């Protein structure tokens, strides 16, 4: 069952994809009986990480999510993820997205697939096997692989790729153009190592051939059972094997270390940037903008250099975001500006301006036309329409009305260090807070009220009241205010 040593082609010649004439198909496999196995039990030693490899993050989602996403378009009747190293974490991340099988000892990719037999044998006519560390696979490529196996009645079809640097991958061996085996790099001769057609680790098998053959896999010197040995096994039985080269070799990228993780991130970012641009978003410098997969941006918005859009961020039309901004789980309306600022877990209605150098976070909502200038921080607060907060201010746990002017240096003192309690501040419509106002919560400033510069407001200020000093005292009513008690 070992792979033949005859590599067939001259080592540097590009591989020829000669598909032999088909054997009569042994079994018609209706699409509804396609089963899938995703291998995710390995330790991922080369990542040098405590986290299981398949849970490392790419564009805001774990590696494994991308594999399942690509698979989803084939609508397999069953998907089994083989877990082992860090099984509890991987199962928790999976939720009910797929079934799982447990590989107690990581005895190689062949052994890993065997763990799924009990769940799939007799239920699926075809089995697609993918490695959980290959996040760049595209649905169309998987469709082509499944179609090629069916078309040629092959025992197995494998996805290959012709790459510039094949280091680290198994090489596809061909004789007279026909696939005869897959050889791991450590077992390859220098001549074989020079082959540039690699095994991507995606296979489609005829199920009735796969399960018995897996049991016959030889144990290698290192104690492992290699799934790749099935290729030579099929050939030695006179069964057909086809290799389908990926249209874009980047799809074959397997993540074994952090360098490859970064390469995958770059490839995914390229795809996401293109997707957004094609949908009408201007990226002034695409290479410096980073998107998580779930981000939605409406057309005619411009993203300026150095900007990260993360989590479930949603941005409306005609906004200008950046330069150098980070939005995470932000919901942004239309015509907003976010300039060199951070917006996280917060909402901006339409026509909101933030920045430069401001921070809108955790539960903040800025209503239409709010203007935040520089060094403003808003947390767990609502700012009413057209409220301005230009410089050096902090509003936390506050309900602020519309058309309020927040003077430079205004702070909500919302945290009592002794009781360790946070309290709310409420500010009515049209209030004007003087520079350096300290609002010692819980406290209420009435509609149309004014605080003097440096006021330390420890007691409620009535509507239209003018409060000054430390602690602030109400000295008069605002000029032009109506009769006492009016709002
Ligand atoms: C494997 C292939 C190689 C191919 C490359 C593509 C084999 C023997 N080699 O090498 O031909 O070019 O992928 O990326 O298959 N796993 C388990 N249980 C195990 C061992 C591995 O679930 O006992 C899982 C891993 O979690 C991983 C996947 O299988 O997701 C591949 O294993 P890995 O060790 O990364 O294989 P490579 O050395 O990359
Ligand atoms: Ca790998």
């Amino acid at each position: 069952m070992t792979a033949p040593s005859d590599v067939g082609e001259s080592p540097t010649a590009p591989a020829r994809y000669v598909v032999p004439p088909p054997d009569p198909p042994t079994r018609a496999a209706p699409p509804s009986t396609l089963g899938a196995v995703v291998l995710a039990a390995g330790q991922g030693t080369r990542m040098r990480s405590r986290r299981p490899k398949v849970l490392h993050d790419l564009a805001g989602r774990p590696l494994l999510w991308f594999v399942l996403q690509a698979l989803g378009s084939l609508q397999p009747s069953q998907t089994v993820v083989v877990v082992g190293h860090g099984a509890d974490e991987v199962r928790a991340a999976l939720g009910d997205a797929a079934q799982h099988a447990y590989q107690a000892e990581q005895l190689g990719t062949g052994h890993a697939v065997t763990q799924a037999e009990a769940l799939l044998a007799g239920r699926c006519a075809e089995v697609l096997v993918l490695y959980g560390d290959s996040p760049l696979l595209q649905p169309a490529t998987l469709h082509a692989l499944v179609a090629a196996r069916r078309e040629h009645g092959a025992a197995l079809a494998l996805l290959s790729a012709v790459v510039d640097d094949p280091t680290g991958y198994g090489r596809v061996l061909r004789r007279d153009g026909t696939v005869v085996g897959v050889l791991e790099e450590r077992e390859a001769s220098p001549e074989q190592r020079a082959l540039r057609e690699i095994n991507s680790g995606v296979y489609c098998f005829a199920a009735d051939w796969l399960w018995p053959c897996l049991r016959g896999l030889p144990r290698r010197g290192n104690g492992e059972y290699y799934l790749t040995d099935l290729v030579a096994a099929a050939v030695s039985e006179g069964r057909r094997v086809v290799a389908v080269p990926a249209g874009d070799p980047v799809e074959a990228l397997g993540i074994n270390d952090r360098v490859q993780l970064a390469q995958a991130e770059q490839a995914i970012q390229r795809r996401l940037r293109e997707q957004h641009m094609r949908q009408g978003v201007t990226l002034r410098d695409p290479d410096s903008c980073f998107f998580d997969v779930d981000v939605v941006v409406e057309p005619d918005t411009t993203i300026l250099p150095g900007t990260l859009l993360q989590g479930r961020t949603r941005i409306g039309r005609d906004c200008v975001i950046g330069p150098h901004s980070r939005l995470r789980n932000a919901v942004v309306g239309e015509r907003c500006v976010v300039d060199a600022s951070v917006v996280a877990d917060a909402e901006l209605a339409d026509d909101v301006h933030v920045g430069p150098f401001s921070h809108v976070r955790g539960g903040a909502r800025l209503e239409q036309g709010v203007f935040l200038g520089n060094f403003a921080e808003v947390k767990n607060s609502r700012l009413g329409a057209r409220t301005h907060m230009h410089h050096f201010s902090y509003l936390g746990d506050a309900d602020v009305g519309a058309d309020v002017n927040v003077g430079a240096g205004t702070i909500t003192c919302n945290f009592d260090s002794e009781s360790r309690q946070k309290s709310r501040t409420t500010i009515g419509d049209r209030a004007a807070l003087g520079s350096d106002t300290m609002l010692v919560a819980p406290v209420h400033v009435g509609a149309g009220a004014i605080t003097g510069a440096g006021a330390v407001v420890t007691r409620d200020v009535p509507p239209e009241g003018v409060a000054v000093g430390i602690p602030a005292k109400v000295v008069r009513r605002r000029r032009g205010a109506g009769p006492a008690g009016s709002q």
Side-chain angles (χ1 to χ4, degrees):
M1 261 207 204
T2 48
S5 56
D6 175 3
V7 298
E9 307 284 348
S10 90
T12 48
R16 285 186 287 134
Y17 305 106
V18 179
V19 177
D23 289 331
T26 49
R27 170 197 283 249
S32 60
T33 60
L34 176 74
V37 183
V38 180
L39 305 190
Q43 188 173 0
T45 320
R46 291 162 279 185
M47 293 297 280
R48 297 182 179 274
S49 174
R50 288 191 188 145
R51 203 186 313 171
K53 176 167 71 173
V54 294
L55 297 187
H56 277 260
D57 184 278
L58 279 181
R61 292 281 192 168
L63 286 186
L64 186 55
W65 180 87
F66 289 87
V67 178
L68 294 174
Q69 193 67 9
L71 247 182
S73 77
L74 278 82
Q75 299 183 299
S77 57
Q78 270 178 278
T79 298
V80 178
V81 177
V82 180
V83 299
H85 183 82
D88 290 343
E89 270 178 87
V90 178
R91 279 197 205 104
L94 272 176
D96 54 10
Q99 295 175 279
H100 37 79
Y102 184 61
Q103 186 190 23
E105 254 188 303
Q106 280 70 64
L107 297 179
T109 47
H111 179 258
V113 176
T114 310
Q115 312 310 306
E117 182 177 355
L119 288 167
L120 296 179
R123 296 202 178 100
C124 304
E126 295 175 287
V127 180
L128 194 61
V129 176
L130 300 93
Y131 295 168
D133 64 355
S134 302
L136 298 178
L137 293 163
Q138 298 276 32
T141 306
L142 298 181
H143 280 282
L145 186 71
V146 172
R149 197 204 66 78
R150 288 178 191 166
E151 188 188 336
H152 298 287
L156 77 97
L158 74 90
L159 183 73
S160 69
V162 179
V163 297
D164 292 336
D165 178 9
T167 309
Y169 291 94
R171 309 296 202 277
V172 174
L173 305 180
R174 290 174 182 264
R175 192 183 292 133
D176 299 328
T178 305
V179 178
V180 292
V182 168
L183 194 62
E184 293 308 298
E185 179 167 272
R186 55 192 160 274
E187 299 167 335
S189 66
E191 188 191 39
Q192 290 165 328
R193 283 181 186 214
L195 292 171
R196 294 192 300 113
E197 187 184 15
I198 58 134
N199 168 33
S200 72
V202 184
Y203 321 81
C204 185
F205 295 97
D208 56 356
W209 181 81
L210 171 67
W211 302 120
C213 268
L214 272 178
R215 282 191 283 276
L217 275 179
R219 192 165 191 176
R220 295 306 202 89
N222 62 3
E224 291 195 7
Y225 299 88
Y226 290 178
L227 188 61
T228 45
D229 283 344
L230 289 180
V231 176
V235 172
S236 72
E237 288 174 20
R239 295 293 302 256
R240 179 174 310 281
V241 174
V242 286
V244 178
D248 180 355
V250 80
E251 285 189 54
L253 182 67
I255 314 293
N256 294 327
D257 59 27
R258 312 263 182 167
V259 174
Q260 288 167 323
L261 184 69
Q263 288 167 351
E265 180 77 44
Q266 277 175 347
I268 285 177
Q269 289 303 329
R270 254 195 313 276
R271 284 182 190 168
L272 290 169
R273 289 166 189 146
E274 280 186 29
Q275 215 171 294
H276 286 292
M277 289 189 281
R278 291 192 197 289
Q279 284 168 7
V281 180
T282 296
L283 306 186
R284 190 65 65 74
D285 174 22
D287 289 352
S288 74
C289 297
F290 294 83
F291 296 86
D292 279 0
V293 281
D294 296 313
V295 167
V296 176
V297 187
E298 298 295 337
D300 286 325
T301 278
T302 298
I303 312 291
L304 297 177
T307 294
L308 281 75
L309 303 180
Q310 301 176 310
R312 300 190 172 276
T313 290
R314 301 222 167 333
I315 299 173
R317 298 186 78 105
D318 296 311
C319 294
V320 180
I321 310 293
H324 307 293
S325 294
R326 186 161 78 86
L327 277 65
R328 186 166 50 79
N329 300 327
V331 178
V332 177
E334 301 189 347
R335 300 174 301 278
C336 291
V337 171
V338 178
D339 179 4
S341 291
V342 175
V343 180
D345 305 306
E347 292 178 26
L348 314 183
D350 296 339
D351 305 297
V352 169
H353 179 110
V354 176
F357 317 124
S358 284
H359 190 185
V360 184
R361 64 187 179 95
R365 175 166 170 89
L366 311 187
E367 301 291 357
Q368 179 164 23
V370 164
F371 188 101
L372 252 59
N374 45 268
F375 305 105
E377 178 178 349
V378 181
K379 184 217 75 170
N380 194 26
S381 297
R382 179 182 160 276
L383 271 59
R386 299 170 303 280
T387 283
H388 282 213
M389 177 176 174
H390 280 269
H391 345 259
F392 311 109
S393 288
Y394 169 61
L395 293 177
D397 305 304
D399 297 296
V400 181
D403 300 302
V404 170
N405 189 58
V406 180
T410 293
I411 300 286
T412 49
C413 310
N414 55 327
F415 181 63
D416 181 335
S417 309
E418 243 180 334
S419 66
R420 306 197 65 76
Q421 297 283 322
K422 286 191 174 161
S423 302
R424 292 199 76 82
T425 300
T426 53
I427 299 167
D429 295 344
R430 296 176 292 101
L433 306 170
S435 299
D436 260 340
T437 296
M438 304 289 133
L439 298 155
V440 183
V443 73
H444 171 70
V445 176
I450 293 178
T451 61
V456 176
V457 182
T458 55
R459 289 194 189 164
D460 292 356
V461 180
E464 313 293 343
V466 176
V468 298
I470 304 175
K473 291 199 174 67
V474 179
V475 289
R476 60 179 174 82
R477 287 175 51 73
R478 186 176 188 162
R479 272 191 290 277
S486 78
Q487 300 271 320

